[in-house]
Every structure is written in C-alpha cells, then in structure tokens.
Amino acid sequence: MRIGVLGTGGVGQTLAGKLAELGHDVCMGSREAGNEKAVQWAAEAGEHASEGSFADAAGHGELVLNATPGAVALEALRAAGGERLAGKVLIDVSNPLDFSNGFPPTLTVCNDDSVGEQIQREFPDARVVKMFNTIPAELMVNPRAIEPSHTLPLCGEDDAAKGEAVALAESLGWPREDLLDLGGIAGARGMEMFLGLWVRLIGATGNRLVTVKVLSA
Ligand SMILES: NC(=O)c1ccc[n+]([C@@H]2O[C@H](COP(=O)([O-])OP(=O)(O)OC[C@H]3O[C@@H](n4cnc5c(N)ncnc54)[C@H](OP(=O)(O)O)[C@@H]3O)[C@@H](O)[C@H]2O)c1
C-alpha cells in the first residue's frame, strides 16, 4: 500500500520505518522537501522509502498518518492539502502537548474538544481515525515489547476507516482483541487527556515504556 507519514520525529521515523520494512511504499513528509532527517531516513529505509513535503506525502498515500505535534497538526494538514486527504483514512497519532510552562505538559485543547475532532471538522472528507497516541512509539510497531497484552484504543466516525486502521495495527503485531473501539471521534478527548495520566505513570515507574490494559467485568 502507498502510505504517507507526516512527521520526521521519532514517531514518524518509527512508523515509517516499520511500514517500509513490511513492504509498504512509504513517503515521509515534512514542512519542506529535502528535510535532513527525512532524506537520511529515506536513504536508510530502502527501496520502499521516499521523502517530500507534507503535500507530497499526503498525495502519495492511499492512507496517511499524522505524526506532528497536536498544537500544529492543523497547520501541517493545511500544508498537506484537504484535497489530498479527501476520501483517505487519516490516522491521527498526535497529542496536543504544551510544554511552555515546563513539565508535566498541559494540553492545548481538552475537555470538550480534541485535535482529532478539530482535524475531522476542518477536513470533513478525510476519514479520521485517532489511534496510537496513547502509547510510546516503540510499542506502536512492537506491541510485544511489553508482555502480557495491553490495550490500544481507537476512535473515529467512519467504521470502514477504523477497519482499515485495525488491519494496519494487526499487521504491526497488535492482536485484534487488544484493540478497543471507543466509538466516534469525540473519543479522542479521552485519548488525548490520557496524557495527563501517562506522563505521571512514566514518572512513577521511572520507565518511558509504560502502557495500560483495560479490564472489564
Ligand atoms: N514520542 C512518542 O512516543 C509519542 C507517542 C504517542 C504520540 N506521540 C505524538 O506523536 C506526534 C509526533 O511526535 P514526535 O516526537 O515524533 O515528533 P514532533 O517533534 O512532535 O513533531 C515533528 C514534526 O512536526 C513538524 N512540525 C513542527 N512544527 C511544525 C509547525 N509549526 N507546523 C507544521 N509542522 C511542524 C516537524 O516538521 P519538519 O519535519 O519540517 O521539522 C516534524 O515533521 C506528537 O503529536 C506526539 O505528541 C508521540
């Protein structure tokens, strides 16, 4: 599959790297084509890897992943271009973290809105699925790095799009029973506000590689 990954940070590199390794044709996007990190990634990631602007990556992908900071995700997606996102599954991995007052971060949007919803509102023809934002990048592509199983929540308005996102997660090693569909895109509020707990779990355990398992009676 042709996949566009918007973002050259650790998440973009991790997801793009694994997806290219799995044989997908992956284009990594940044604000300007020729970004040093993206060029290096593409050179090292093999024949299935390329790089370009956000617009190049979005145009390339049949499916697009947003791995930019939540506070500027709309800017990045505007640069990608709504017409290049229309009809496509757009997996939003971002978190609206605000470190301007130090650590722990606050959120630039919360309670009655979320980045996931902002994106779906501004790009109504994109099929937005919020997924992967609640776990460290390493676990996105290697869920078995923590045993036993743990939970990957997701949400979005479009059931078929969520099905495609689930299939992608399964191809990365996620067992279907660990994926938990929270319903519509408003579920992104809770998924993004989970960050408040997550950063404290990291502090309390002293380990970045921390996640949760949802149990119900
Ligand atoms: N780190 C994790 O394990 C983890 C886990 C779950 C979710 N997340 C979320 O995943 C997202 C990506 O995180 P990350 O650490 O990989 O990368 P990041 O440092 O948060 O973002 C890097 C990307 O953002 C772009 N960017 C920066 N400022 C921008 C602006 N003003 N307008 C448009 N684009 C801009 C950069 O563009 P250039 O390439 O042009 O520099 C780069 O591609 C974040 O929302 C983060 O909260 C992270």
Side-chain angles (χ1 to χ4, degrees):
M1 179 189 271
R2 280 180 285 108
I3 296 180
V5 175
L6 311 183
T8 58
V11 174
Q13 301 252 347
T14 302
L15 284 168
K18 185 65 183 180
L19 291 167
E21 196 183 302
L22 289 175
H24 295 291
D25 193 348
V26 183
C27 180
M28 177 181 284
S30 54
R31 280 170 284 189
E32 280 184 33
N35 174 287
E36 197 181 329
K37 285 198 270 183
V39 167
Q40 190 180 343
W41 171 80
E44 290 169 2
E47 54 177 325
H48 297 298
S50 60
E51 64 82 28
S53 64
F54 286 139
D56 293 332
H60 170 88
E62 298 163 86
L63 177 149
V64 179
L65 287 131
N66 172 43
T68 63
V72 295
L74 289 176
E75 263 179 70
L77 291 166
R78 281 175 201 139
E83 69 283 9
R84 294 183 198 86
L85 301 169
K88 296 180 182 175
V89 175
L90 172 58
I91 299 179
D92 176 34
V93 183
S94 75
N95 282 310
L97 299 179
D98 179 356
F99 288 98
S100 59
N101 289 314
F103 195 89
T106 54
L107 302 177
T108 59
V109 57
C110 63
N111 291 335
D112 57 0
D113 202 4
S114 61
V115 183
E117 289 167 278
Q118 290 176 333
I119 293 173
Q120 187 63 86
R121 272 200 306 275
E122 179 150 343
F123 303 97
D125 296 330
R127 303 158 68 208
V128 181
V129 179
K130 189 90 195 181
M131 190 171 78
F132 288 140
N133 72 304
T134 55
I135 51 167
E138 301 92 310
L139 287 187
M140 296 175 194
V141 300
N142 183 19
R144 289 284 169 252
I146 294 184
E147 296 280 13
S149 65
H150 44 100
T151 305
L152 182 65
L154 65 138
C155 69
E157 297 298 324
D158 183 321
D159 286 340
K162 286 191 279 193
E164 287 184 47
V166 165
L168 188 83
E170 285 186 298
S171 75
L172 294 170
W174 285 89
R176 185 169 287 244
E177 60 270 22
D178 290 342
L179 301 178
L180 186 58
D181 183 349
L182 303 184
I185 192 66
R189 297 175 192 180
M191 290 172 64
E192 294 173 14
M193 288 193 286
F194 174 70
L195 267 288
L197 175 60
W198 185 12
V199 294
R200 286 165 176 85
L201 292 174
I202 291 171
T205 59
N207 194 335
R208 265 200 82 250
L209 223 53
V210 61
T211 183
V212 298
K213 166 98 178 158
V214 174
L215 302 171
S216 65

